[in-house]
Amino acid sequence: MLSIISKIKQLIICLNYITFKRSLNLFKIGISYLFSLVGIQITSRLQPLFVSVEVANYCNLQCPECPVGIGINPKTGRARFDFNLYKSLIDEQKSTLQHVILYFQGEPLLNKELPQFIEYAHRAKIYTSTSTNCQLLNKKNAKNIVLSGLDKLIVSVDGTTQEVYEKYRVGGDLQTALDGIKELVLCKNELNSVTPLIEMQFIVFKTNEHQMDEMKELAKSLRVDRLVFKTAQLYDFEQGSERLTTIEKYARYRLKPDGNYQIKSNLPNHCWRLWSGTVVNAKGEVLPCCFDKSSEFSFGSVAIQPLSDSWHTKKASGFRDSILKNRKQYEMCRNCTSK
């Protein structure tokens, strides 16, 4: 959905982030991952290509397939990422880090310092992205987000009518979300900014799949840069669910002969996501990936030691080894499509 001009501008922006050290680290990570395909782990002295930083771990909506939305993550407690700690993390990793993803589970706009988080990474010439349900996206913070230098913003809209939208975005208002997107587009135009790239995301469920064509028209009318239809991650999918889409292309699960469902992926014993990046939750714990919703497999904490040290602890190395031997042993991996 990106115009040719927008594609060229986005390409130029991405090229501005390329450095020799980052390219060399990417090459090393790539070689390391190729070795992992045959069961060999080589990650010493490598640094993550991307880091997801959870700026806020709570949300203003109650989405039924989100642990935060339905309140089943009591371990982490309500928290916002400390900005000074974040600056230390960026300063440590800025020579090799390619991408800072400023979200994990909560709603990022609940942290009023979000523009400062973005700007600090932007000044370090690191690509930045975040995601929002748009309920808090107004004229003021839309302008701050554009001025911060954010490269990409994912806006979640899963329906074209309030009745359908609120079946998943429980507690949300569709018109509020659309108004927020309009404000962001307007701010970009007023400030003559090509960024952030606005990606509208529509998670495909059985309850909204009939509105996909309408969503395409809505996205055009809003003048967003891109529309993405995303497969739905469900937690209790084995016995089936009323939310399972009937459209094969967007179904994450398939029906087995015994009547139960399983993920389409064969879950090979390797994982690019685990080799190329990491997640740091709102309390500073370094996690293997975004599927560790309850912070069960923490490798360490950036509040205690540098990110690099946590990413290379014996626990981190042991976890990667176990993935190379039997990825299916982990519940969180059995719902993942990463290869």
Side-chain angles (χ1 to χ4, degrees):
M1 235 180 115
L2 281 173
S3 68
I4 294 177
I5 295 176
S6 291
K7 285 181 179 179
I8 294 173
K9 288 182 178 179
Q10 285 293 325
L11 178 60
I12 292 172
I13 289 170
C14 291
L15 290 175
N16 286 333
Y17 293 126
I18 296 176
T19 67
F20 175 75
K21 285 187 177 180
R22 290 173 184 167
S23 299
L24 180 60
N25 189 54
L26 171 61
F27 175 76
K28 290 178 178 180
I29 288 285
I31 295 298
S32 172
Y33 183 64
L34 288 176
F35 273 99
S36 81
L37 297 181
V38 292
I40 301 173
Q41 179 188 173
I42 303 176
T43 55
S44 61
R45 295 186 298 278
L46 299 179
Q47 302 302 324
L49 304 178
F50 72 87
V51 174
S52 293
V53 177
E54 186 176 41
V55 293
N57 69 354
Y58 52 99
C59 190
N60 50 338
L61 299 186
Q62 299 84 47
C63 302
E65 292 294 338
C66 174
V68 171
I70 58 179
I72 61 172
N73 271 351
K75 178 184 174 182
T76 56
R78 190 179 242 207
R80 285 177 292 184
F81 204 93
D82 181 79
F83 185 55
N84 288 324
L85 188 60
Y86 170 77
K87 290 194 293 184
S88 297
L89 188 158
I90 295 299
D91 291 344
E92 176 208 338
Q93 292 288 319
K94 63 184 179 183
S95 65
T96 53
L97 194 62
Q98 297 187 4
H99 186 185
V100 175
I101 304 168
L102 290 163
Y103 67 94
F104 175 29
Q105 295 193 84
E107 167 53 48
L109 285 175
L110 286 170
N111 188 328
K112 294 182 180 180
E113 293 184 299
L114 178 63
Q116 288 95 307
F117 276 78
I118 298 166
E119 184 178 9
Y120 197 80
H122 179 70
R123 286 182 177 179
K125 299 187 180 302
I126 302 172
Y127 188 92
T128 56
S129 66
T130 189
S131 176
T132 179
N133 56 39
C134 291
Q135 295 301 297
L136 301 172
L137 192 58
N138 53 38
K139 184 174 183 178
K140 180 180 179 180
N141 58 30
K143 183 177 181 180
N144 289 337
I145 285 173
V146 175
L147 290 173
S148 71
L150 181 70
D151 293 293
K152 177 181 175 181
L153 179 65
I154 299 171
V155 291
S156 299
V157 182
D158 310 307
T160 60
T161 61
Q162 178 64 25
E163 179 185 8
V164 171
Y165 172 82
E166 66 184 1
K167 286 183 179 180
Y168 187 68
R169 301 291 166 181
V170 178
D173 180 74
L174 175 61
Q175 193 57 52
T176 297
L178 300 182
D179 289 343
I181 295 170
K182 291 175 184 176
E183 287 289 355
L184 188 62
V185 172
L186 181 62
C187 283
K188 282 180 62 177
N189 291 335
E190 289 178 345
L191 296 169
N192 194 28
S193 176
V194 69
T195 57
L197 181 146
I198 304 173
E199 180 179 295
M200 181 178 280
Q201 180 176 277
F202 183 102
I203 302 177
V204 182
F205 298 103
K206 186 176 182 179
T207 54
N208 66 5
E209 60 187 24
H210 62 287
Q211 292 188 339
M212 292 176 69
D213 287 337
E214 293 177 16
M215 180 54 68
K216 293 177 183 178
E217 294 304 315
L218 179 59
K220 288 180 182 178
S221 69
L222 291 170
R223 293 179 295 163
V224 299
D225 298 296
R226 180 184 295 160
L227 172 64
V228 173
F229 293 111
K230 185 179 178 182
T231 63
Q233 177 190 337
L234 307 178
Y235 284 93
D236 296 318
F237 61 85
E238 289 87 354
Q239 305 300 317
S241 168
E242 61 181 8
R243 298 188 184 94
L244 282 172
T245 181
T246 62
I247 303 175
E248 178 64 23
K249 180 179 179 180
Y250 298 105
R252 183 178 289 228
Y253 313 99
R254 60 169 173 253
L255 186 64
K256 298 189 296 182
D258 63 5
N260 292 322
Y261 287 83
Q262 68 178 23
I263 196 164
K264 288 180 177 179
S265 171
N266 292 324
L267 298 178
N269 293 329
H270 49 79
C271 179
W272 169 248
R273 190 176 301 182
L274 187 60
W275 256 248
S276 59
T278 190
V279 173
V280 185
N281 70 18
K283 291 192 173 182
E285 294 177 293
V286 178
L287 310 178
C289 72
C290 62
F291 277 81
D292 189 5
K293 307 294 187 183
S294 59
S295 304
E296 184 179 356
F297 301 101
S298 174
F299 296 156
S301 172
V302 294
I304 299 173
Q305 61 188 1
L307 173 65
S308 179
D309 290 350
S310 293
W311 209 51
H312 292 297
T313 58
K314 289 184 178 180
K315 186 174 182 180
S317 179
F319 188 87
R320 293 188 188 98
D321 272 336
S322 66
I323 289 292
L324 298 181
K325 294 172 182 176
N326 180 18
R327 183 177 169 190
K328 294 179 182 178
Q329 67 183 290
Y330 295 110
E331 182 65 32
M332 69 176 192
C333 293
R334 292 199 289 270
N335 210 348
C336 177
T337 57
S338 181
K339 297 180 179 179

